[in-house]
């Protein structure tokens, strides 16, 4: 079988960096799916690209499809033939199958003789198939802010300017419908933006080399490796480390076709600015790489960058080597202007006190029906006080938390945060510290936005964690009170993230907090503070408890716990009070069950408990009975297995009274595993018993044994939710 290399290059105006990164996996997946559907086996599929092109290559693609041979079953022979000749039913079936009626065969089946057709569909040339599928691959890509251009109706991230489609040396002819002007495939590509070269691609395998000669490194991984190595070498030479988050690195890779490293300088006076200001301007606004001193202290409250940053930066250029000095000077001028603005904002902000800024929050609306940002700040401060009543913190941390809650939103009306919104919290902390607030208060102001996402670190201080909890709970309470809920992919207030943050903070700190009670108290307060919303406090509290239960399930799933274990601990039907009366409790039980399953200790216990639970429903024992003493009569025993089960239950009972939940669950699981053999003997083996015997007293006694076992095991989980 002859094979060839297939190449598709979609040439465009400069693509947004995030589109290229997200669209390339889509393109590769579409190609793989369609080639399989079109009976075209293949070798390696690679998708790569630059800001001006998306490329996919397929190795070892056959020049034609495999032939398709299939059989189709038709009508019964008695209906298909009339006097031994094909009748209307046979002729219609043959026409549908595209075969001669005379070629139909009659075969015996379990339901009698039926007509069958043998169909041979010759494979089509691969070039013909690809010409049909390429437009669908292009139009099937998904992304944000697609556009049309010219008079055409085709939508894409940026205007498409050329197409290269080759099967080895052969051009795959096609026209991209809906583009204006019409785009026809060929072998002519484009070089670097600053080059006038239009390389003709001789064959699919020479594509990368042809573009390299025209100043384009088309392989994304090659560009990534080059950029990483050059940045590290330059930073090492400067005795520094690059401040290059992965997100910025990926963006730099997708912003250039021929990367070059350019070093620039920062005027020393700007090192008086907080380090986060310089880093934000350089990284987020200019896509530069700041250089951090190797011995820089990790101080999130540093008021200046002198001890942490070098007055230098790195950037990745996409221009001609001879223009490097011009590009460097231009970058330095732009950075100087941005930092001068930041310098002005800092001076203007410091002319006003934090308390004065806090009062200005009254002029900014938070949300319809929820008052101003000052109203929100007051509610947040009240919640912080309520949390402190539920949590045990040192007195100094309590004072710091309340003061931080009072100040934490003041920087939202600062000029610096107005220009650089990503610095909210950071600037609030710096301004508070500069005015004489304690480091603990300033740190809590800084940390109250943490964690910002799933991969972010939670607050490190107790005061910061309390204010962070209050911030998220206030958002949930207020937005739910005004009637808005997350739905599908729509969550404009990031309520799901807020719910996640509440649980993540509690888990990280190991705090036992009765969220059910707290939400009941808070919703009653909200009903008083926001009378125009006509809040039904009990209903709102119940809805928020359910929302947090769903977030708990989602977080457990994201962490990779087995779905059935998650449902057994936190699924539908689990008591909200049990689960959210102390959110750390559910995590402890889930972690323990996961360890037991990994060690092979869960299966024998699970089998016995599930069997017991299925039979126990035939009895009348309430779910809250945990002691066998009042409901089991040993005088009614007729088998050693009954006595063995009772002994296990009696040994489990004192464990249930252990105050430390972690110890209680561990010992309960250990004792259940230890007693699994004795419990199994009740059902199987020489000493097993018939639970549903004729004697009602004995039957009830045995059902009570099983009911107590079910209830005691339920302290760990709902075993009925566990899969085999």
């Amino acid at each position: 079988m002859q094979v060839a290399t297939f190449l598709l290059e979609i040439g465009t105006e400069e693509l947004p960096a995030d589109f290229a990164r997200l669209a390339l996996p889509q393109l590769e997946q579409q190609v793989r799916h369609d080639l399989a559907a079109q009976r075209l086996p293949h070798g390696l599929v690679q998708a790569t690209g630059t800001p001006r092109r998306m490329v996919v290559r397929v190795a070892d693609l056959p020049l034609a499809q495999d032939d398709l041979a299939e059989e189709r079953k038709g009508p019964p022979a008695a209906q298909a033939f009339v006097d031994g000749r094909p009748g209307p039913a046979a002729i219609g079936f043959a026409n549908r199958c595209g075969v001669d009626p005379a070629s139909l065969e009659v075969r015996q089946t379990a339901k009698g003789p039926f007509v069958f057709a043998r169909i041979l569909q010759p494979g089509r040339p691969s070039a013909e198939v690809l010409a049909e599928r390429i437009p669908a691959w292009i139009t099937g890509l998904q992304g944000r802010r697609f556009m049309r251009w010219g008079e055409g109706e085709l939508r894409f991230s940026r205007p498409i300017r050329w197409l290269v489609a080759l099967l080895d040396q052969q051009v795959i002819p096609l026209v991209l419908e809906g583009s204006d002007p019409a785009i026809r495939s060929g072998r002519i590509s484009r070089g670097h933006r600053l080059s006038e070269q239009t390389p003709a691609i001789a064959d699919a395998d020479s594509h990368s080399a042809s573009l390299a000669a025209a100043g384009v490194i088309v392989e994304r991984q090659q560009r990534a490796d080059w950029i990483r190595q050059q940045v590290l070498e330059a930073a090492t030479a400067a005795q520094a480390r690059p401040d290059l988050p992965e997100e910025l690195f990926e963006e730099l890779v997708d912003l250039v076709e021929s990367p070059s490293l350019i070093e620039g300088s920062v005027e020393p006076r700007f090192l008086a600015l907080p380090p986060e200001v310089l880093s934000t301007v350089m990284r987020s606004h200019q896509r530069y790489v700041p250089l951090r001193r190797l011995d820089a202290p990790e101080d999130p409250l540093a008021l200046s960058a002198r001890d942490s940053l070098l007055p230098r930066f790195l950037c990745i250029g996409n221009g001609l080597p001879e223009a490097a000095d011009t590009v460097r000077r231009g970058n330095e001028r732009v950075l100087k202007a941005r930092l001068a603005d930041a310098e002005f904002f800092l001076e203007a902000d410091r002319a006003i006190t934090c308390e004065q800024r806090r009062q200005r929050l009254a002029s900014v609306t938070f949300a319809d029906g929820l008052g101003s940002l000052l109203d929100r700040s007051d509610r947040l401060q009240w919640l912080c006080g309520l949390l402190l009543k539920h949590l045990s913190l040192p007195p100094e941390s309590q004072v710091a938390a309340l003061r931080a809650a009072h100040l934490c939103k003041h920087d939202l009306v600062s000029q610096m945060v107005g220009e650089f919104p990503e610095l909210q919290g950071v600037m609030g902390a710096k301004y508070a510290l500069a005015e004489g607030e304690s480091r603990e208060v300033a740190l809590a102001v800084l940390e109250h936005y943490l964690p910002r996402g799933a991969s972010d670190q939670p607050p490190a201080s107790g005061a910061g964690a309390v204010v962070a909890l209050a911030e998220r709970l206030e958002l949930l309470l207020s937005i739910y009170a005004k009637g808005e809920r997350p739905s599908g992919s729509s969550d404009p207030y990031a309520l799901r993230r807020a719910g996640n943050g509440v649980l993540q903070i509690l888990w990280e700190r190991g705090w036992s907090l009765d969220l059910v009670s707290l939400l009941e108290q808070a919703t009653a307060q909200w009903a008083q503070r926001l009378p125009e919303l006509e809040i039904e406090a009990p209903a709102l509290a119940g809805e928020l408890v359910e929302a947090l239960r769903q977030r708990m399930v989602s977080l457990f799933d994201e962490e990779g716990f087995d779905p059935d274990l998650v449902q057994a601990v936190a699924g539908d039907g689990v008591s909200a009070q049990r689960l959210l009366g102390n959110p750390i409790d559910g995590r402890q039980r889930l972690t323990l069950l996961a360890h037991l399953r990994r060690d092979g200790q869960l299966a024998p216990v699970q089998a016995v408990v599930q069997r017991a639970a299925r039979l126990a429903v035939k009895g009348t024992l309430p779910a809250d009975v945990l002691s066998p003493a009042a409901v089991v009569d040993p005088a009614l025993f007729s088998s050693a297995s009954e006595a063995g089960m009772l002994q296990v239950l009696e040994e489990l009972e004192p464990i249930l009274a252990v105050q430390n939940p972690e110890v209680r669950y561990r010992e309960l699981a250990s004792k259940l595993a230890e007693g699994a053999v004795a419990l199994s003997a009740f059902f199987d083996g020489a000493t097993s018993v018939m639970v549903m015997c004729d004697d009602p007293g004995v039957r009830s006694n045995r059902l009570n044994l099983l009911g107590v076992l079910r209830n005691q095991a339920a302290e760990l989980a709902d075993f009925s939710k566990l899969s085999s």
Side-chain angles (χ1 to χ4, degrees), residues 339-350:
L339 293 178
D341 288 345
E343 195 175 50
F344 171 81
F345 298 142
L346 186 67
E347 292 175 0
D349 286 341
R350 284 178 173 170

Side-chain angles (χ1 to χ4, degrees), residues 71 240 283:
E71 290 186 344
R283 290 194 322 241

Side-chain angles (χ1 to χ4, degrees), residues 316-535:
I316 303 300
N318 192 38
L320 301 175
E322 54 269 26
D325 285 342
T326 303
V327 173
R328 175 183 52 77
R329 289 193 296 271
N331 288 344
E332 289 174 345
R333 282 197 300 272
V334 172
L335 181 60
K336 179 181 178 180
R338 296 286 288 177
L339 293 178
D341 288 345
E343 195 175 50
F344 171 81
F345 298 142
L346 186 67
E347 292 175 0
D349 286 341
R350 284 178 173 170
I352 301 173
T353 67
C354 297
E355 191 61 45
Q356 287 173 322
R357 263 192 301 275
R358 185 181 187 278
Q359 294 306 313
R360 291 184 179 183
L361 294 174
S363 63
V364 183
T365 300
F366 170 44
D368 185 35
L370 296 176
S372 67
L373 284 177
L374 183 59
D375 295 325
R376 185 187 185 215
S377 183
D378 289 340
R379 293 193 296 266
L380 193 158
Q381 188 173 353
W382 180 89
L383 263 174
C384 187
L386 179 62
L387 282 164
L388 290 172
K389 293 177 182 177
H390 285 254
L391 298 169
S392 297
L393 264 73
E396 59 274 16
S397 295
Q398 294 188 40
V399 172
L402 287 171
R403 181 61 178 166
H406 179 77
L407 292 175
C408 66
K409 296 299 180 185
H410 78 91
D411 64 343
L412 293 180
V413 290
S414 68
Q415 293 197 41
M416 186 72 84
V417 171
E419 182 69 14
F420 306 111
E422 51 270 75
L423 291 178
Q424 57 186 298
V426 174
M427 297 313 302
K430 310 262 182 185
Y431 292 151
L433 186 66
E435 283 188 11
E437 298 289 346
S438 70
R439 284 187 64 86
E440 191 170 8
V441 169
L443 187 59
V445 171
L446 174 71
E447 292 181 332
H448 90 280
Y449 284 108
L450 302 179
R452 290 184 172 88
S455 60
D456 204 5
Q457 291 297 314
S461 69
V466 171
V467 184
L469 283 173
E471 203 274 343
R472 284 153 181 79
L473 288 168
E474 193 286 329
L475 183 66
L476 288 165
L477 282 157
S478 296
I479 301 304
Y480 267 73
K482 73 189 292 283
E484 295 195 30
R485 309 286 184 273
S487 60
S489 60
S490 175
D491 188 8
Y493 290 97
L495 298 178
R496 295 189 184 100
R497 188 170 65 194
N500 289 349
V502 169
L503 297 170
Q504 288 168 334
I505 292 168
L506 292 175
W507 289 340
E508 176 67 21
R509 303 296 303 185
W511 282 344
S512 296
L513 176 65
D514 188 344
L515 276 174
V516 176
S517 173
L518 184 137
L519 287 171
E520 288 172 349
Q521 296 174 67
T523 51
Q525 176 70 199
W526 255 238
Q528 295 178 20
R529 287 175 175 260
L530 301 167
E532 63 278 8
L533 295 182
E534 298 180 354
I535 298 170

Side-chain angles (χ1 to χ4, degrees), residues 170-194:
Q170 175 191 355
V171 172
I172 301 172
L174 66 104
V175 178
L176 192 57
E177 299 292 340
S179 60
D180 181 39
I183 304 296
R184 297 180 181 275
S185 61
R187 64 174 71 250
I188 304 301
S189 182
R190 306 288 189 277
H192 191 280
R193 170 66 80 182
L194 300 177

